[in-house]
Amino acid sequence: MTTPQPGVPLREMTEADMPRIMTLEHELFPDDAWSPEMYAAELAQPPSRRLYLVAEEGDTVIGYAGMMFTGGSQADVVTLGVDAAHWGQGTGTALLSALVAEAARRGCTEVLLEVREDNPRARRLYLREGFTEIGIRRGYYQPSGVDAVVMRKVLP
């Protein structure tokens, strides 16, 4: 898979990526990291329902993202994480752009996501990429109890 951001190679996530993904997951989301079992269940879904990508630098995974396709007009970004050493270098933008492009290619008319209220860096990325804040889910992230900001991007 190619990426709209030059210099950030993307490819589909595989089970072989799980050790690195889990390391990043616990570094980035220590209070509510996904478990290996959650990722296994997601990767077991058919490609018509899920898309998980990784960004690489050399042979090292530096970011990852996933999207759920409901079969209707909506797609949902379910996760996005970038190694802190690579923040501000376009990796998150590349991953998000690739997911949104795939949603558009599949005929979706909008993309939804939830982002932790206490994650201003991610919120800025989503706003910069055309998402708008449309609501709050109180106590969404568990066990931390942090609120989620619901965001939407309408696709042409």
Side-chain angles (χ1 to χ4, degrees), residues 14-147:
T14 68
E15 287 185 35
D17 297 317
M18 283 302 100
R20 176 66 176 149
I21 298 295
M22 293 314 304
T23 297
L24 288 172
E25 186 77 6
H26 286 284
E27 288 173 2
L28 297 168
F29 310 109
D31 294 334
D32 44 28
W34 284 19
S35 68
E37 294 79 16
M38 291 171 74
Y39 275 104
E42 287 293 294
L43 291 178
Q45 294 289 319
S48 62
R49 305 279 299 170
R50 301 289 192 277
L51 174 63
Y52 281 85
L53 301 174
V54 295
E56 293 181 302
E57 183 177 77
D59 292 334
T60 302
V61 171
I62 60 170
Y64 58 96
M67 179 168 270
M68 175 176 64
F69 299 96
T70 61
S73 62
Q74 293 180 338
D76 294 280
V77 176
V78 293
T79 191
L80 193 153
V82 175
D83 182 354
H86 293 87
W87 287 355
Q89 298 176 14
T91 304
T93 300
L95 287 161
L96 183 61
S97 296
L99 292 179
V100 170
E102 182 62 16
R105 189 189 73 73
R106 293 186 187 202
C108 295
T109 58
E110 64 181 355
V111 174
L112 298 171
L113 60 82
E114 292 90 13
V115 59
R116 288 176 63 103
E117 183 188 42
D118 62 357
N119 189 342
R121 173 178 287 282
R123 288 172 73 182
R124 284 192 304 270
L125 166 65
Y126 300 136
L127 289 168
R128 192 171 59 244
E129 293 302 310
F131 284 79
T132 57
E133 296 181 356
I134 61 169
I136 299 287
R137 294 191 181 175
R138 301 279 174 218
Y140 180 81
Y141 290 97
Q142 294 300 319
S144 63
V146 173
D147 293 344

